[in-house]
Amino acid sequence: VAILPNRSSEMVGRNEPLRQLGKALELSAGISDENEAAAPKLVVCPVKGKSGLGKSMLVRSFVDQIHPDLKPLVLAGKCEQQRSTEFNAVEPLMDQLAGYLSQLESWERERYRLSSLESSVPLMKMFRDLALVPEIRAADQDETAQSLQDLRSSALQAIPKLLERIAEHHTLILIIDDLQWADEESLEALRMLLKTPIGKGILLITTIRSEAAKYKVVAGFDKLLGEFQDNVQVFPVELHQFSRTESDELVKRLAGHHDIDLDWIFGASRGDPQLIEELVFEARREGGSRSKDVLEIYGRRFQRLHSPKNELMAVLAVAGQPVPRTVAFRAAGIVTGDKTQTELELMRDRFAK
């Protein structure tokens, strides 16, 4: 079975990481190098690299190339730094799973044996979207009252069992983007997943900023991978800056008919793919690469911003670090109605993430 169909990726310089992700998927699905069946397993693939190197884009490109014969079911979520909700890394996965199951016909859901799933009630109370699934919603509500701690423990124990039943009929892929912003409750849920022996293959892909290696959650996750190595196979992927050849290839793709100085782009960007795109964009806007000063280029981009975007960017520049949304908007004097549009436009123009 071909994991990655034979077609060229739109990504530049990421063939090897894509191959590694494909290998990790083969391991989770129980496909050997000889194309023979092997024991499926839980495979964890931490994708690490500096911010801006394209970790999320790499994972999206990989998912787009999975062969449909594998019947993939992809549950993906992104951890938000400012989100205060518990289980911020796991709740999006459960919500998507609930959405998938609830839109199936009842006879289609029978194969997942949801009616016999233990601890359905605690699971539904912790992740309320699962109540959209009739078989889970119909679970016996007369269970003995539990403390919050016992409720959480029962729910966390039920997650691996639920995922295992889904994985019996799909190549199950779980994606957690920006794991460094996960909360401790999510780490607890991941601990239970890694701890529980699972008889069906699951691929867990996480993206992690390499500069966050010492963050408590990242260090804790790495520790879990070592602690439960008998249950899990770890297949790490590391992204690096572009080489000169890769930089030139990206510039040529983006430049169109414009004549852009390849030497300058590589020197100014130091192989950072996001910065390469920014510099080519500005060079195209100018009709070539007249300016060779990166600060001057970004200065002109900033001058083209209009209120209230320029005020918000000034706040972020002075802070020099991520700022809570409410604080940033208040400091920039932005009223409630302008918040969403301002934020979307800055992210669209790649001024903020």
Side-chain angles (χ1 to χ4, degrees):
V1 177
I3 302 296
L4 301 178
N6 185 20
R7 63 186 183 189
S8 60
S9 169
E10 295 182 357
M11 297 195 73
V12 172
R14 297 304 185 217
N15 288 336
E16 178 58 22
L18 283 171
R19 188 197 66 78
Q20 292 176 309
L21 287 171
K23 179 62 177 176
L25 182 57
E26 290 178 349
L27 290 171
S28 71
I31 301 173
S32 70
D33 291 337
E34 292 75 25
N35 205 31
E36 298 175 352
K41 60 189 69 178
L42 174 59
V43 177
V44 181
C45 197
V47 179
K48 297 185 178 182
K50 291 178 60 178
S51 178
L53 289 184
K55 298 180 294 296
S56 302
M57 186 182 299
L58 171 74
V59 175
R60 287 195 298 270
S61 180
F62 163 70
V63 168
D64 288 342
Q65 296 181 65
I66 296 174
H67 200 294
D69 286 353
L70 291 177
K71 300 179 182 179
L73 178 61
V74 180
L75 307 177
K78 180 180 178 65
C79 300
E80 301 289 348
Q81 183 181 9
Q82 306 300 336
R83 187 176 179 183
S84 58
T85 306
E86 288 186 344
F87 298 104
N88 66 340
V90 179
E91 185 180 51
L93 308 184
M94 294 295 101
D95 291 350
Q96 287 186 27
L97 180 57
Y100 167 74
L101 293 173
S102 63
Q103 55 88 32
L104 296 176
E105 298 291 342
S106 59
W107 62 268
E108 293 178 292
R109 288 193 298 270
E110 287 180 2
R111 58 181 176 173
Y112 301 120
R113 300 175 288 115
L114 299 173
S115 299
S116 62
L117 181 67
E118 295 181 10
S119 301
S120 290
V121 173
L123 193 61
M124 181 172 53
K125 288 183 177 180
M126 294 301 299
F127 305 103
R128 298 197 176 275
D129 275 16
L130 287 173
L132 297 172
V133 184
E135 291 80 1
I136 295 179
R137 186 172 63 248
D140 185 5
Q141 298 288 338
D142 296 327
E143 293 185 6
T144 304
Q146 293 179 299
S147 66
L148 179 59
Q149 182 177 355
D150 290 340
L151 181 74
R152 176 175 295 180
S153 177
S154 297
L156 295 184
Q157 291 177 43
I159 291 176
K161 299 174 184 177
L162 173 60
L163 295 178
E164 184 174 25
R165 296 188 181 193
I166 302 300
E168 290 176 356
H169 304 280
H170 297 276
T171 298
L172 184 58
I173 303 167
L174 311 177
I175 299 173
I176 302 177
D177 200 8
D178 279 338
L179 182 69
Q180 71 275 356
W181 304 132
D183 59 5
E184 293 187 10
E185 290 78 12
S186 294
L187 192 62
E188 184 181 352
L190 290 173
R191 176 186 178 84
M192 185 60 65
L193 176 62
L194 299 177
K195 175 183 178 181
T196 306
I198 294 180
K200 298 298 178 180
I202 298 176
L203 175 61
L204 169 61
I205 301 176
T206 64
T207 69
I208 304 171
R209 296 182 184 180
S210 55
E211 55 266 39
K214 294 183 179 180
Y215 285 18
K216 183 177 180 180
V217 170
V218 177
F221 183 65
D222 289 341
K223 183 178 179 180
L224 289 178
L225 295 180
E227 183 178 350
F228 300 114
Q229 56 185 337
D230 291 341
N231 293 340
V232 180
Q233 182 152 357
V234 183
F235 209 91
V237 174
E238 189 81 27
L239 292 192
H240 303 283
Q241 308 283 61
F242 276 4
S243 66
R244 173 59 192 265
T245 301
E246 293 164 343
S247 173
D248 290 354
E249 182 183 352
L250 180 58
V251 172
K252 290 173 182 177
R253 283 198 187 188
L254 299 173
H257 65 276
H258 296 278
D259 182 18
I260 296 179
D261 188 334
L262 298 176
D263 292 332
W264 171 70
I265 291 287
F266 182 68
S269 68
R270 298 181 181 178
D272 185 306
Q274 188 173 39
L275 186 51
I276 291 172
E277 291 189 21
E278 297 285 353
L279 296 177
V280 173
F281 172 81
E282 286 302 311
R284 289 186 58 171
R285 185 183 183 93
E286 296 177 358
S289 52
R290 291 194 299 271
S291 175
K292 298 299 179 74
D293 189 303
V294 176
L295 292 179
E296 181 183 341
I297 289 174
Y298 273 89
R300 283 200 299 274
R301 287 194 67 196
F302 183 80
Q303 290 172 2
R304 289 195 292 266
L305 289 176
H306 299 292
S307 182
K309 290 182 286 186
N310 50 1
E311 286 91 347
L312 182 56
M313 281 304 302
V315 169
L316 297 178
V318 170
Q321 60 183 355
V323 180
R325 287 180 173 84
T326 54
V327 174
F329 286 130
R330 185 167 59 248
I334 298 176
V335 298
T336 303
D338 293 333
K339 289 182 178 180
T340 301
Q341 185 64 27
T342 300
E343 188 172 13
L344 289 175
E345 289 178 358
L346 286 176
M347 290 191 291
R348 178 200 64 195
D349 296 334
R350 299 185 179 182
F351 276 102
K353 295 182 66 176

